[in-house]
Amino acid sequence: MRIRSKALSVLWKTAIAACAFVGLGLQIGIFKRELHLSSFKYFTNISNLLCMVYFLIDAVVLSAVKKRAGSVSWCPALKGVAMMGITVTWLVAHFMLGSFTMGPSLRVSIRLVHYVVPILTILDWLLFDQKGQIRLTAPLLWTVFPLGYFAAIMGLAFFGKGVPFYPYPFMNVEKQGLTRVLVTVAVMLAFFVALGYLFVLVDRLLKKAEGKLLKKRSELPAA
């Protein structure tokens, strides 16, 4: 059964937005009164920015609309895109990027943007959202975000001025070769589509389980 508390849902969404803000702030240097906009060339930061904006708006709208239930998301399609994007961030960071040397503030930032925000986002869907609402075509729509990012990076690399910049090693055409990069991206895309349909499956199973539980409750004799 999902949590129906509107107050808890607002608090949870605000926490996601706050964690994303702190993680991004450390990445782009705003706490040092700096602004490194080049950091937004990384998918990690773009996906966290999307989550920060989405959940901030979602929390405000949820708290402002009196009749809205705590389990109903603002713009579910956009939430799906944000959830897929941040899940991609989590999985790629954990399984493909490995570890590297970093200072204390960067360690905090990496934990927030790569782990805390993704996990809180998925839990928000599991704990608060009404199940059975994800359409079968939704996982295909969700891939538009990572595909658009890849196309933008490749466009900047091929047509931009100066030395091409590749944010992630598996995207580096100079070292990996275009064919290998495209094959890697195709495999990742297939995995992300499969992941999206795993979300659909879990959505359907939880909806079914909720229906069975409600049916059992309705069959109980009145006290």
Side-chain angles (χ1 to χ4, degrees):
M1 291 292 289
R2 65 184 185 273
I3 298 174
R4 298 174 182 268
S5 170
K6 181 176 176 179
L8 186 56
S9 182
V10 169
L11 182 61
W12 191 282
K13 297 174 197 317
T14 303
I16 296 175
C19 288
F21 174 76
V22 173
L24 285 174
L26 291 171
Q27 289 275 339
I28 66 177
I30 61 175
F31 297 118
K32 295 181 180 180
R33 296 183 180 181
E34 300 172 356
L35 190 60
H36 306 301
L37 293 179
S38 60
S39 296
F40 286 108
K41 289 182 179 180
Y42 293 93
F43 185 82
T44 292
N45 293 339
I46 298 175
S47 61
N48 272 268
L49 179 63
L50 177 58
C51 283
M52 183 185 76
V53 173
Y54 173 81
F55 282 106
L56 181 60
I57 295 175
D58 196 25
V60 170
V61 173
L62 179 57
S63 60
V65 180
K66 294 182 179 180
K67 294 183 179 180
R68 182 180 158 194
S71 60
V72 178
S73 294
W74 170 76
C75 194
L78 182 56
K79 180 171 186 175
V81 172
M83 184 168 70
M84 172 57 78
I86 204 68
T87 303
V88 168
T89 290
W90 180 21
L91 295 177
V92 170
H94 188 73
F95 293 106
M96 297 187 69
L97 299 185
S99 58
F100 50 93
T101 303
M102 47 191 165
S105 63
L106 189 56
R107 280 199 296 270
V108 173
S109 175
I110 291 298
R111 298 294 184 270
L112 287 172
V113 299
H114 283 162
Y115 294 96
V116 176
V117 174
I119 291 172
L120 290 180
T121 297
I122 295 172
L123 286 176
D124 179 82
W125 170 67
L126 286 172
L127 296 175
F128 298 102
D129 281 15
Q130 182 178 347
K131 303 305 183 292
Q133 302 299 306
I134 302 179
R135 297 181 179 181
L136 287 176
T137 56
L140 301 177
L141 173 64
W142 296 345
T143 61
V144 171
F145 182 24
L147 273 178
Y149 170 78
F150 174 74
I153 291 298
M154 290 298 106
L156 289 173
F158 286 125
F159 303 111
K161 297 180 180 180
V163 179
F165 174 74
Y166 300 100
Y168 302 103
F170 62 85
M171 298 175 67
N172 193 324
V173 175
E174 309 296 326
K175 294 183 178 180
Q176 305 289 341
L178 182 59
T179 300
R180 186 173 180 179
V181 168
L182 291 176
V183 169
T184 300
V185 171
V187 171
M188 291 174 65
L189 181 63
F191 174 77
F192 296 146
V193 171
L195 177 65
Y197 280 105
L198 178 61
F199 280 127
V200 173
L201 177 61
V202 173
D203 182 62
R204 297 291 190 271
L205 291 175
L206 290 176
K207 176 65 176 179
K208 186 176 181 180
E210 184 178 7
K212 288 182 178 180
L213 183 59
L214 291 175
K215 184 178 179 181
K216 285 184 179 180
R217 287 185 175 181
S218 66
E219 293 173 350
L220 292 176

